[in-house]
């Protein structure tokens, strides 16, 4: 299993739409599992990350909290 701080590449194919993202191993793993289980997409994960790859959308919402980030406030 990958260390949570490891950055991985997520490759997603939704028919003609092909997406490549980078993100923390635990986040990439969760997204890949959900997409694979639902059969929504063809998914692969590897460590071939480039600086041109965008970060996984909304990845900061899943990131472990730290003291340098402002708290997120959710109102009901």
């Amino acid at each position: 299993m990958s260390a949570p701080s490891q950055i991985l590449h997520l490759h997603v194919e939704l028919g003609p739409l092909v997406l490549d993202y980078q993100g923390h191993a635990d986040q990439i793993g969760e997204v890949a599992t959900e997409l694979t289980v639902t059969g929504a997409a063809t998914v692969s994960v590897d460590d071939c990350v480039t600086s041109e790859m965008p970060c996984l959308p909304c990845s900061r919402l899943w990131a472990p909290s730290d003291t340098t980030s402002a708290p997120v406030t959710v109102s009901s």
Side-chain angles (χ1 to χ4, degrees), residues 20-45:
D20 290 289
Y21 295 108
Q22 62 173 298
H24 290 280
D26 53 345
Q27 296 168 351
I28 293 289
E30 288 180 26
V31 172
T33 298
E34 286 299 317
L35 291 172
T36 302
V37 168
T38 63
T42 301
V43 178
S44 63
V45 176

Side-chain angles (χ1 to χ4, degrees), residues 3-69:
S5 61
Q6 182 181 7
I7 302 299
L8 295 177
H9 165 222
L10 174 69
H11 178 81
V12 180
E13 294 182 19
L14 297 155
L17 179 63
V18 177
L19 305 167
D20 290 289
Y21 295 108
Q22 62 173 298
H24 290 280
D26 53 345
Q27 296 168 351
I28 293 289
E30 288 180 26
V31 172
T33 298
E34 286 299 317
L35 291 172
T36 302
V37 168
T38 63
T42 301
V43 178
S44 63
V45 176
D46 59 43
D47 61 356
C48 298
V49 179
T50 67
S51 60
E52 293 82 30
M53 288 178 192
C55 292
L56 188 64
C58 300
S59 61
R60 68 185 177 103
L61 297 176
W62 305 318
S65 59
D66 63 27
T67 58
T68 62
S69 300

